[in-house]
């Protein structure tokens, strides 16, 4: 029986497929507020409101747009969610997921691992994913890869892979058509579609889907193995997961540490008992060279 595993994803998990870091996303948001001002006007924002938000983003010198929106939610939450959706949709480019020359394609590594599992383990919920990202790149990849490998006919393993639980703690750009949603995985400038995508984002605690948080907590409580991938280990995110409380029973917790300083790693090890990859490998190398699935 395969260990019950929970993967916890941060922004670094999507970056090998062209998605931006938090710092880059902030710059993209400034860009769309300037170049697509007419879109924001069509959503009912006055030019002064658009300019005020853009100035706040620039002057706040933040690398995490969520932090600014939480701090000034009364002023900027709604326009901020629209700006995030607008900026991110341009990155949902399907062919970037299937680039065979991508040296960091850990989605492919994960899919090969899932293919090798028994139907019983796959259907038994052995693998689950908690993500703090808004994009749908991983679920789209797994859905399309399993469709391509197993074909269009019904197949137990195909269905199990396509239905692996992926919990978006802060919401996502919307359900994909393959999951009965209305938001295709493709760039769009359609203001109605972008508006709909923005409604799915849940940045502040008041908007949080309590049932999703409860499910994430339950998955952590049952986990025998936890892997942090491309994660920044921010206190607020770990607090949302009630990580220390919900992982008391799990002794196998590891994570990537790309870009983290030694003092930061020491603090994470001490506070959360996470075994970090001190060599700072990317996710694919983390699995291949240090912690094979």
């Amino acid at each position: 029986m395969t260990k019950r595993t929970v993967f916890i994803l941060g922004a670094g998990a999507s970056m090998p497929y062209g998605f931006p870091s938090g710092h880059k996303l902030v710059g993209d948001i400034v860009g769309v507020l300037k170049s697509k001002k007419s879109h924001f006007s069509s959503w009912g924002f006055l030019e002064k409101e658009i300019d005020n938000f853009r100035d706040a983003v620039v002057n706040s010198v933040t690398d995490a747009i969520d932090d600014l929106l939480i701090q000034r939610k009364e002023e900027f939450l709604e326009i901020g969610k629209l700006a995030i959706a607008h900026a991110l949709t341009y990155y949902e480019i399907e062919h970037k997921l299937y680039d065979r020359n991508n040296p960091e394609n850990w989605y492919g590594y994960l899919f090969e691992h899932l293919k090798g599992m028994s139907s019983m383990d796959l259907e038994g919920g052995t693998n689950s994913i908690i993500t703090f990202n808004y994009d749908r790149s991983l679920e789209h990849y797994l859905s399309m890869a399993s469709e391509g490998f197993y074909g269009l006919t019904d197949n137990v393993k195909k269905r199990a892979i396509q239905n692996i639980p992926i919990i978006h703690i802060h919401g996502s750009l919307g359900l994909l058509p393959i999951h009965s949603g209305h938001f295709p995985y493709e760039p769009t400038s359609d203001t109605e579609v972008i508006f709909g995508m923005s409604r799915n984002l849940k940045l502040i605690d008041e908007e949080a889907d309590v049932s999703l948080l409860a499910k994430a907590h339950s998955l952590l409580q049952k986990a025998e193995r936890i892997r942090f991938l491309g994660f920044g280990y921010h206190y607020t995110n770990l607090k949302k997961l009630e990580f220390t409380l919900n992982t008391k029973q799990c002794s196998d917790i590891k994570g990537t540490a790309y870009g983290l300083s030694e003092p930061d790693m020491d603090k994470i090890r001490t506070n959360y008992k996470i075994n970090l990859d001190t060599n700072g490998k990317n996710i694919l190398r983390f699995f291949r060279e240090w912690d094979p699935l």
Side-chain angles (χ1 to χ4, degrees):
M1 176 68 75
T2 304
K3 282 186 175 181
R4 190 175 291 274
T5 303
V6 176
F7 301 97
I8 303 177
L9 312 186
S14 300
M15 286 173 64
Y17 305 96
F19 287 89
S21 64
H23 176 81
K24 177 68 166 60
L25 178 60
V26 170
D28 291 340
I29 285 170
V30 172
V32 297
L33 288 166
K34 184 176 182 180
S35 65
K36 303 294 183 181
K37 185 179 284 190
S38 63
H39 288 186
F40 291 88
S41 297
S42 75
W43 291 317
F45 293 98
L46 301 175
E47 183 171 359
K48 183 178 180 180
E49 292 175 312
I50 301 167
D51 291 342
N52 284 347
F53 178 50
R54 188 181 70 241
D55 290 345
V57 174
V58 171
N59 295 334
S60 69
V61 295
T62 183
D63 281 341
I65 191 65
D66 298 22
D67 291 347
L68 173 63
L69 298 182
I70 291 169
Q71 179 65 33
R72 301 181 66 175
K73 60 186 177 183
E74 300 299 332
E75 302 167 84
F76 298 140
L77 183 61
E78 294 309 313
I79 191 173
K81 289 196 290 186
L82 284 161
I84 290 171
H86 207 318
L88 280 180
T89 181
Y90 294 125
Y91 288 98
E92 290 201 328
I93 302 170
E94 187 173 77
H95 75 80
K96 289 192 174 183
L97 300 179
Y98 303 105
D99 179 3
R100 292 183 178 274
N101 296 316
N102 183 352
E104 298 184 27
N105 179 22
W106 75 270
Y107 288 2
Y109 178 90
L110 176 62
F111 181 63
E112 289 299 318
H113 167 69
L114 296 173
K115 278 165 48 183
M117 292 177 61
S118 70
S119 298
M120 182 180 297
D121 280 344
L122 282 170
E123 288 193 301
T126 305
N127 297 279
S128 53
I129 296 158
I130 297 171
T131 177
F132 286 82
N133 299 333
Y134 303 119
D135 71 85
R136 294 89 47 84
S137 58
L138 180 55
E139 49 259 63
H140 186 71
Y141 182 95
L142 293 178
S143 293
M144 294 300 100
S146 55
E147 199 81 53
F149 185 79
Y150 294 108
L152 297 176
T153 55
D154 191 33
N155 179 284
V156 173
K157 292 182 77 169
K158 180 180 78 172
R159 279 188 283 108
I161 291 172
Q162 290 178 336
N163 291 313
I164 286 173
I166 299 181
I167 298 175
H168 287 266
I169 296 295
H170 291 155
S172 75
L173 294 180
L175 281 178
L176 295 164
I178 197 166
H179 294 136
S180 303
H182 305 288
F183 300 97
Y185 189 89
E186 61 187 17
T188 182
S189 293
D190 187 310
T191 54
E192 288 188 21
V193 174
I194 294 171
F195 182 84
M197 288 177 162
S198 75
R199 300 302 90 184
N200 295 305
L201 306 185
K202 312 293 182 185
L203 275 67
I204 60 175
D205 289 344
E206 295 93 303
E207 298 179 317
D209 187 327
V210 177
S211 64
L212 278 185
L213 280 175
K215 187 173 182 181
H217 294 171
S218 176
L219 290 172
L220 290 172
Q221 290 163 10
K222 297 172 184 175
E224 298 170 283
R225 178 170 62 172
I226 297 170
R227 295 296 180 264
F228 285 92
L229 306 174
F231 200 72
Y233 306 98
H234 297 303
Y235 168 76
T236 52
N237 289 339
L238 289 164
K239 183 180 178 183
K240 272 188 180 174
L241 296 178
E242 297 182 14
F243 188 77
T244 302
L245 176 66
N246 288 321
T247 59
K248 287 181 178 179
Q249 84 301 331
C250 185
S251 59
D252 186 2
I253 307 175
K254 296 179 181 178
T256 59
Y258 185 81
L260 293 179
S261 67
E262 193 60 47
D264 283 341
M265 287 193 283
D266 285 341
K267 188 184 298 183
I268 293 162
R269 292 189 196 99
T270 301
N271 293 342
Y272 302 107
K273 313 302 180 189
I274 301 170
N275 187 4
L276 296 173
D277 171 22
T278 55
N279 292 318
K281 301 179 183 70
N282 63 46
I283 297 172
L284 183 58
R285 289 186 60 205
F286 169 84
F287 283 131
R288 283 183 169 169
E289 300 175 17
W290 194 58
D291 184 51
L293 288 175

